Amino acid sequence: MKKINITDVTLKRLSEEREISLLFREKSAIANCADRLGADAIELPVVKNLREDTIIYKTIAQNVQNAVLAAAVGFDKETVASVWECIKEAKKPRLQVELPVSTIQMEYTYHIKQDKMLGKIGELIAEAKKYCDDVEFAALDATRADADFLVAAAKEAEKNGAGIVTVCDNAGVSVPEEIAALVAKVKEAVSIPVYVQVSDRINMGVASAFSAISAGADGLKCAMAGKDALLTGEISDAMSVCGAQIDAEIELNNTKIHSSIDDMLSSISHEAYDNEKAVSEKKKILLDSDATLAQVAQAAGVLGYELSDSDCGNVYKALMQVCEKKGAVGSKEFEALVASSAMQAPSTYHFESYTTTSSNVASSMSQVTLRCNDELMCGVSAGDGPIDSAFRAIEQCIGYHYELDDFQVQSVTEGKEALGSALVRLRNNGKLYSGNGTSTDIVAASIRAYINALNKIVFEEA
């Protein structure tokens, strides 16, 4: 049976469709999922923010173990080197030259005609070949192109060193027979592998893929999610049932594909996607070892903190230490650094002990004991869960209520004995105070975080 190579384009499709960019961890989760499922190649979104994308793509490149990692070089020779920097550390890097071959796209998007487009194809592929042996030419909008020009573009790509030609149905209005005819024509003209990227806009994605394979296509491009895309789960199911009829197979892990994709999608469906125009500036925070003091202060301001010069310096030092090991931090990690490094106040209140009861049929009850100037203070309160009741018990101890602006919990280590980290933000007179606490007991970690923030308020008021 002929093996059909599968290229995963989920990252690229989701990045194109959404008004907001995927988070750092979401991009990594998508790439890792595609790699685990057995995709032969993974396409990265087009580089837009060079500094930020370089950090993200280098991290993905280090994590992807088996698949080829591909990135498009853009329209100018000058961008080839910068894109190569993003993926050169991958085990199997690939540079892509993506250019339209239909008259409407060439003239209205790039304002050039066929002869100049052929020159541009050759120029970019030759430039990409200087950096990477594996270079692909993707003929965009190929189903609306003149067939003879498509063939000429494919030949020009091969002549300048391309190792793959991809026929793309971006319009999504071609029937399987038309796509098969184009693939057969290109396949006859070149000696390198021919891939196809079909559309499911008219619900013929799987049928078009099968027709293309029957016509000689060597690879398919599909996505685990995305509008009008050939879905990975659907083509995998179809090939497992009917692949023998066209004497072809793919090497995706069909037994895990649906559950893995569902898990991956659930991890990236955060609240901002429900209303994509409600974009939080917090999601744009990404700081690395090249960050300046001014950028640290600006990021803290986005999160609502007004750092003094000394606090900004402390946060900056902590950031540099983390970046030596991690590479870069996002908004949540940065906020934890602010909580643990800025405004380290003396402990007016010390946490002594707590007791809590919790049930799904009754309110939780907590007792918290604090020490202040050798005086023990005890508070007891009910609440909606052990943490809520513990916070209310602390308020009983101190006799004051502060607005809880934010509360976050995450694991620091793995396993059932994992160390938990809690972050609490209290608002007092319009100003934010953050506290951080860690413990194998997440309730205790939360109490420590609350008291840490409380001590900062008391210290500043004094």
Side-chain angles (χ1 to χ4, degrees):
M1 276 191 179
K2 178 181 179 180
K3 189 214 175 217
I4 304 300
N5 286 282
I6 296 295
T7 299
D8 183 87
V9 295
T10 310
L11 270 171
K12 183 178 287 187
R13 293 301 293 264
L14 293 184
S15 296
E16 291 171 352
E17 291 169 10
R18 300 186 185 279
E19 292 183 13
I20 61 175
S21 61
L22 293 163
L23 301 178
F24 195 161
R25 63 171 176 79
E26 294 171 339
K27 291 179 179 179
S28 295
I30 293 170
N32 291 340
C33 182
D35 193 36
R36 288 195 306 270
L37 290 178
D40 297 286
I42 299 169
E43 289 192 10
L44 295 171
V46 174
V47 175
K48 294 180 180 178
N49 184 323
L50 181 59
R51 178 174 171 270
E52 180 176 318
D53 289 342
T54 299
I55 297 169
I56 296 172
Y57 294 171
K58 281 186 175 181
T59 303
I60 293 175
Q62 292 170 355
N63 292 336
V64 171
Q65 299 299 313
N66 303 305
V68 172
L69 201 63
V73 299
F75 189 69
D76 300 304
K77 288 175 64 176
E78 291 72 22
T79 62
V80 177
S82 57
V83 173
W84 172 244
E85 282 296 316
C86 293
I87 64 166
K88 68 179 184 180
E89 295 176 11
K91 291 181 173 61
K92 302 174 185 176
R94 174 182 294 164
L95 291 176
Q96 297 173 297
V97 174
E98 297 182 330
L99 292 173
V101 290
S102 66
T103 301
I104 188 170
Q105 288 290 336
M106 285 189 291
E107 294 189 2
Y108 288 94
T109 303
Y110 292 97
H111 312 293
I112 59 177
K113 296 190 179 294
Q114 289 185 354
D115 56 342
K116 289 192 176 180
M117 182 56 80
L118 283 178
K120 178 61 74 172
I121 291 170
E123 174 187 286
L124 287 177
I125 289 175
E127 184 69 16
K129 195 71 176 177
K130 294 178 183 177
Y131 298 92
C132 184
D133 291 333
D134 189 354
V135 178
E136 172 190 353
F137 169 60
L140 305 180
D141 207 23
T143 53
R144 292 194 294 179
D146 176 77
D148 291 335
F149 179 68
L150 172 61
V151 168
K155 287 182 176 179
E156 183 71 13
E158 182 181 23
K159 183 176 77 173
N160 284 277
I164 299 169
V165 171
T166 300
V167 177
C168 301
D169 179 21
N170 299 94
V173 294
S174 298
V175 297
E177 291 77 12
E178 293 173 328
I179 292 175
L182 273 183
V183 169
K185 194 159 190 173
V186 175
K187 185 73 178 173
E188 185 180 357
V190 298
S191 58
I192 57 179
V194 176
Y195 289 10
V196 64
Q197 182 170 338
V198 301
S199 170
D200 198 40
R201 182 179 175 184
I202 55 177
N203 299 320
M204 288 191 177
V206 173
S208 297
F210 269 60
S211 294
I213 292 171
S214 298
D218 302 287
L220 295 173
K221 294 193 176 184
C222 54
M224 293 180 283
K227 184 180 178 183
D228 299 336
L230 172 65
L231 294 179
T232 307
E234 292 183 1
I235 191 63
S236 178
D237 291 342
M239 289 293 290
S240 65
V241 175
C242 304
Q245 297 178 24
I246 55 173
D247 196 32
E249 63 180 355
I250 58 178
E251 294 183 355
L252 294 177
N253 189 337
N254 196 54
T255 59
K256 295 182 179 179
I257 199 164
H258 293 289
S259 60
S260 296
I261 291 175
D262 288 343
D263 291 343
M264 180 273 296
L265 291 176
S266 67
S267 72
I268 68 170
S269 57
H270 55 76
E271 69 282 352
Y273 295 161
D274 297 330
N275 182 5
E276 293 189 352
K277 293 185 179 179
V279 182
S280 170
E281 288 295 319
K282 294 179 183 180
K283 300 188 183 302
K284 298 180 182 179
I285 293 175
L286 186 71
L287 298 170
D288 64 358
S289 57
D290 294 326
T292 63
L293 275 169
Q295 289 173 327
V296 169
Q298 182 183 16
V302 169
L303 294 175
Y305 297 101
E306 297 177 13
L307 299 182
S308 66
D309 290 343
S310 60
D311 281 341
C312 190
N314 291 335
V315 173
Y316 178 79
K317 289 178 184 177
L319 173 67
M320 293 301 105
Q321 291 174 353
V322 172
C323 288
E324 286 181 5
K325 301 177 181 178
K326 189 173 182 181
V329 300
S331 60
K332 287 190 175 182
E333 295 96 334
F334 180 69
E335 188 159 16
L337 289 178
V338 172
S340 59
S341 304
M343 194 180 168
Q344 293 304 302
S347 298
T348 303
Y349 293 100
H350 297 268
F351 172 45
E352 291 290 321
S353 65
Y354 87 96
T355 303
T356 188
T357 60
S358 186
S359 168
N360 66 336
V361 294
S363 296
S364 179
M365 185 72 70
S366 291
Q367 174 182 308
V368 176
T369 302
L370 306 180
R371 181 181 295 275
C372 179
N373 298 327
D374 296 326
E375 178 187 352
L376 288 178
M377 312 168 71
C378 185
V380 179
S381 181
D384 185 15
I387 292 174
D388 180 52
S389 61
F391 287 176
R392 291 173 183 267
I394 295 172
E395 291 175 353
Q396 276 210 349
C397 289
I398 63 176
Y400 197 85
H401 169 75
Y402 294 103
E403 179 187 347
L404 181 62
D405 184 81
D406 192 17
F407 172 61
Q408 300 172 20
V409 174
Q410 61 183 8
S411 63
V412 178
T413 56
E414 298 180 353
K416 47 181 197 178
E417 300 290 326
L419 188 67
S421 174
L423 176 73
V424 168
R425 294 208 309 177
L426 300 179
R427 188 180 294 275
N428 182 48
N429 295 327
K431 189 172 180 180
L432 288 175
Y433 299 83
S434 61
N436 184 261
T438 56
S439 175
T440 53
D441 178 347
I442 203 61
V443 178
S446 303
I447 293 173
R448 293 181 192 280
Y450 191 102
I451 294 172
N452 185 230
L454 172 63
N455 282 327
K456 293 179 181 180
I457 295 175
V458 173
F459 175 71
E460 186 160 292
E461 286 182 339

